[in-house]
Amino acid sequence: MVMLPVLPLIEGESTVSWCSRLGPFHAGLSGPDFLKLMQISRQSVVDTTDDCIGRLADLTGIAADRIRASGVQRVGEARFKHGDEVFGMRFALRTHTTFCPACLLEDADPSGPSAGRRVGRIGWMFSPVRTCPRHGLVLHRRPNNGFHEQFQDMTLVAPDDAALEKLAGDTPSANTSALQSYVERRFDGVLGYDWLDTQDIDQATRACEMLGACLVFGAHTNLDRLSLGDWSETGSAGFEAARDGVDGLRKALDEISRESFRRSSKGGPQAALGRIYQWLQFKKSKTDPGPIRDVVREFVLDTMSIDPGNTLFGRPVDARRRHSLASLSRSTGVHQATLRRALKLTGVLPADVDADDRFTVDAGQGERLADRIHNSIPISKIPNYLNCNRTQAQMLVKRGIVSQLVPDPGRGGGVLTNVAVRDLDDFISRFRAHGTTVRQASDGMFDAIVASEVVRRPVMDIVQLVLDRKLTSLELLSEDLGFRSVLVSPDEVRAVISDLEGEIGLSVHDVAARLGIFTSGVTHLRTKVDRSGRPFLRSLETVASSGTVRHRFAEEEVQRFQADYVALADLARARGKAPKVVAMELRKLDIKPIMRRELLNAAIYRRADL
Ligand SMILES: [Zn+2]
């Protein structure tokens, strides 16, 4: 039996509201009396049960799906569903009465779509919906006066029109928050923000609101004191931070903790993140907060000093990621002041900032540094450790073959001027990396100190040759002898140094190419002298390991030659004439090349003659 005429649902109207209009429309009865007559319980309407939907569809001729879409169905223990979204009870506010006074006053118009009856909107009952987009007003929301008010018949729960007029006048205006818009779009099936879209709508909402509250009002704000308008603002701020996912969330968390630390430099994650931390750490409800928990947990572990074994957001911390100066000092026994200086001098901490609880360092990096400080010796103790003398110890440091704990510790650097024992051991193992192990030195083999006296070269030059693997004849005595355990051949050292020094400057071929002359011409320039009796081009003479003498030419010497002399071809080019013409002109002036053209493959003139 369908009651005629059909009374359709108004766009956005709740099932409860529509049912409340059926009585007056069809039977001149109040909404509740009509339902009683039809034996439909108010609770079944509130819960939008399938049974109730079936009965209403039969009576009114409205499709079951249309009725279902206008209600919030109970789908389990404290779980509810509207459209395709499932959420908990804090999101679907059955405990509160919510309305826009301006909307209800408009409904009173007898020629309007509801023929003068008040219309309850389904959207009003969702917690992040706090403003009326139509009127730009903050909604009126108050706790229910009893269980019966779950049945949000606006005729019963909202005040009379005179009171509504006053309310509408007193209500602050507000824009719809970005979070409310997101929720409304999501109910319409419109997605677009991965991180938020993949969690339950109430989890996404709560994450945005907690984040937003701390962003806008500080981490330690009193949430109970925030007004509906304040919450609207937090929803927008939180949504802006969360819409792009983890990066945006971490940026917001960073901003919140910075602000907390600006107010007080002391304390751990609770001091930094306040309400967000308390919400996730001491949660009283069983509601799963969703992915926000892992994001905040990772942020805390990545930026704050958290001891392993502590429980953070329901899970034990398995490894420390960051150290504060205090925790690093505590766990390594190195004094805080020493650590602070060392961290600044190694550039881990900014030099101009006074490090306090806010500053944490990578745990591994901090522990390695502390360990190096702990296991270090002064330079004065190196001779004993390495079996060398004081000068050699100082030269090892000066040449950077081993380093002090920090670069340039300066005077009064205290323990930081030390050298890590590990670095000295590492030096010895690099020094001894190649060579034949022997019991006794072979003929002609000496340690680097003796060899340096033989070849008259600094000990460190020889050490460097060994480290650079430039020597092939190496013998290794017992490691106990440390610095003196590596034997070299002075003859090889001499030859290799000579070879290496041969690498400086330009070769004959380089010079010939540069000047555009024969290679034999370079020899003529080197062996023949100018008017002052000086060779045209001086060479650096080196004796190679084979005993042959080699000639190299310093870059500056070649440049000097080019400044003093010029080839005919270049001169002609500079004068914009043919070489033949210039040669004839010079001949007329009795200016001659420095030597016969055939010797060099070019006619070269002294610039001073021109
Ligand atoms: Zn309104």
Side-chain angles (χ1 to χ4, degrees):
M1 176 198 87
V2 174
M3 299 182 297
L4 292 172
V6 170
L7 178 69
L9 279 135
I10 292 167
E11 185 62 34
E13 182 176 22
S14 71
T15 324
V16 168
S17 167
W18 173 63
C19 281
S20 304
R21 291 195 295 120
L22 288 174
F25 182 78
H26 287 297
L29 292 171
S30 76
D33 286 348
F34 174 75
L35 288 175
K36 210 178 278 174
L37 185 71
M38 292 294 149
Q39 293 180 313
I40 298 172
S41 80
R42 287 204 215 179
Q43 194 58 42
S44 72
V45 181
V46 168
D47 289 342
T48 331
T49 63
D50 288 340
D51 202 34
C52 167
I53 292 170
R55 291 268 291 130
L56 288 169
D58 286 347
L59 277 172
T60 62
I62 302 290
D65 283 349
R66 176 74 182 89
I67 300 170
R68 187 178 288 108
S70 302
V72 172
Q73 278 192 290
R74 185 185 283 275
V75 290
E77 179 74 19
R79 298 295 287 167
F80 302 91
K81 185 176 183 194
H82 174 64
D84 292 332
E85 303 291 345
V86 175
F87 37 82
M89 76 186 185
R90 291 182 60 116
F91 185 83
L93 286 175
R94 295 188 165 201
T95 50
H96 284 68
T97 290
T98 309
F99 55 85
C100 167
C103 281
L104 295 183
L105 287 169
E106 273 186 14
D107 292 340
D109 178 359
S111 60
S114 63
R117 307 291 306 181
R118 288 183 178 179
V119 175
R121 273 69 172 179
I122 186 70
W124 290 344
M125 73 178 303
F126 303 121
S127 72
V129 175
R130 299 189 175 93
T131 57
C132 170
R134 184 172 160 79
H135 295 102
L137 293 176
V138 175
L139 296 177
H140 183 76
R141 180 169 285 164
R142 61 158 175 86
N144 284 344
N145 290 321
F147 186 76
H148 63 280
E149 285 195 338
Q150 276 202 14
F151 192 81
Q152 289 272 294
D153 177 350
M154 288 297 146
T155 315
L156 304 177
V157 296
D160 60 30
D161 283 3
L164 283 181
E165 293 278 7
K166 188 170 181 326
L167 265 181
D170 294 345
T171 301
S173 54
N175 292 324
T176 300
S177 82
L179 178 62
Q180 177 175 334
S181 304
Y182 169 74
V183 165
E184 286 165 353
R185 282 198 306 275
R186 192 160 149 175
F187 276 130
D188 290 339
V190 181
L191 300 178
Y193 304 99
D194 284 351
W195 189 80
L196 291 167
D197 293 345
T198 48
Q199 48 190 308
D200 286 349
I201 196 167
D202 53 342
Q203 291 176 327
T205 296
R206 189 83 177 131
C208 287
E209 288 178 348
M210 290 304 291
L211 203 65
C214 293
L215 272 173
V216 178
F217 299 104
H220 299 278
T221 186
N222 185 342
L223 299 178
D224 294 337
R225 294 229 178 125
L226 299 185
S227 70
L228 229 54
D230 292 340
W231 278 114
S232 191
E233 197 182 334
T234 72
S236 282
F239 176 78
E240 293 303 326
R243 54 185 286 171
D244 297 328
V246 176
D247 287 350
L249 291 162
R250 286 182 70 112
K251 218 150 89 191
L253 292 168
D254 189 54
E255 197 178 312
I256 292 165
S257 55
R258 265 173 209 279
E259 179 59 22
S260 298
F261 279 133
R262 205 180 56 74
R263 294 177 190 182
S264 160
S265 65
K266 293 270 169 256
Q270 181 160 199
L273 297 176
R275 302 299 171 212
I276 295 175
Y277 178 88
Q278 291 161 354
W279 166 47
L280 299 171
Q281 182 76 341
F282 314 121
K283 48 175 185 164
K284 292 172 200 134
S285 75
K286 286 181 189 158
T287 320
D288 176 5
I292 185 75
R293 179 171 47 199
D294 281 347
V295 175
V296 181
R297 193 172 188 275
E298 286 297 299
F299 174 80
V300 168
L301 291 176
D302 282 347
T303 60
M304 301 177 203
S305 169
I306 307 293
D307 293 334
N310 280 1
T311 298
L312 183 62
F313 306 162
R315 276 189 293 145
V317 174
D318 50 8
R320 169 190 292 286
R321 293 188 203 166
R322 306 292 294 181
H323 262 305
S324 65
L325 282 178
S327 71
L328 185 57
S329 174
R330 208 165 47 235
S331 73
T332 62
V334 178
H335 199 275
Q336 274 201 46
T338 306
L339 288 170
R340 183 181 292 121
R341 274 203 74 204
L343 289 167
K344 285 187 176 187
L345 287 168
T346 48
V348 178
L349 281 181
D352 56 343
V353 173
D354 192 26
D356 51 31
D357 282 6
R358 271 175 290 185
F359 288 97
T360 61
V361 295
D362 176 79
Q365 197 180 10
E367 282 166 13
R368 275 192 296 280
L369 181 64
D371 180 65
R372 285 167 59 78
I373 295 171
H374 203 67
N375 297 299
S376 66
I377 56 173
I379 294 171
S380 62
K381 294 274 173 60
I382 293 180
N384 196 31
Y385 192 81
L386 287 186
N387 191 21
C388 62
N389 71 21
R390 280 189 60 168
T391 313
Q392 288 144 14
Q394 283 162 355
M395 288 311 294
L396 277 174
V397 174
K398 202 165 183 182
R399 295 273 291 252
I401 294 172
V402 295
S403 312
Q404 288 171 287
L405 290 172
V406 298
D408 302 322
R411 283 176 175 279
V415 72
L416 297 184
T417 61
N418 282 5
V419 172
V421 169
R422 184 180 300 176
D423 285 1
L424 294 172
D425 293 344
D426 174 62
F427 159 66
I428 286 294
S429 82
R430 282 188 293 134
F431 196 37
R432 290 173 54 83
H434 294 275
T436 314
T437 307
V438 294
R439 287 186 160 220
Q440 270 191 316
S442 305
D443 280 350
M445 298 298 285
F446 303 93
D447 68 49
I449 298 166
V450 175
S452 97
E453 286 157 13
V454 176
V455 301
R456 296 174 179 281
R457 283 285 181 167
V459 182
M460 289 311 134
D461 285 5
I462 299 175
V463 170
Q464 198 65 59
L465 288 178
V466 175
L467 294 175
D468 293 346
R469 302 192 185 177
K470 299 285 188 194
L471 302 178
T472 50
S473 306
L474 288 171
E475 291 185 348
L476 304 174
L477 294 174
S478 163
E479 193 167 353
D480 307 347
L481 292 169
F483 196 75
R484 288 177 176 262
S485 69
V486 177
L487 306 178
V488 301
S489 150
D491 289 343
E492 189 189 18
V493 169
R494 196 183 284 120
V496 168
I497 288 178
S498 157
D499 272 356
L500 289 174
E501 288 180 347
E503 298 302 316
I504 57 173
L506 303 170
S507 71
V508 172
H509 286 278
D510 296 334
V511 176
R514 177 89 70 91
L515 300 180
I517 61 176
F518 294 136
T519 48
S520 60
V522 177
T523 307
H524 287 298
L525 291 177
R526 175 171 61 77
T527 52
K528 294 187 168 57
V529 295
D530 63 16
R531 287 177 206 173
S532 67
R534 181 188 185 281
F536 285 106
L537 198 57
R538 273 192 194 159
S539 76
L540 306 161
E541 205 174 290
T542 61
V543 184
S545 51
S546 55
T548 53
V549 176
R550 290 168 22 168
H551 294 280
R552 308 279 299 182
F553 298 85
E555 174 68 34
E556 307 82 66
E557 175 68 359
V558 177
Q559 285 177 9
R560 184 201 57 77
F561 180 84
Q562 288 180 303
D564 289 351
Y565 300 94
V566 62
L568 175 64
D570 295 333
L571 186 62
R573 201 174 305 123
R575 292 185 176 183
K577 295 177 180 174
K580 269 187 183 172
V581 177
V582 175
M584 205 142 62
E585 285 171 1
L586 294 174
R587 210 158 36 237
K588 274 184 194 160
L589 295 167
D590 202 21
I591 297 170
K592 293 183 177 119
I594 56 171
M595 60 183 82
R596 285 189 291 121
R597 177 188 191 120
E598 304 84 66
L599 295 179
L600 300 176
N601 187 37
I604 292 182
Y605 295 87
R606 202 163 79 107
R607 289 187 194 268
D609 294 342
L610 302 175

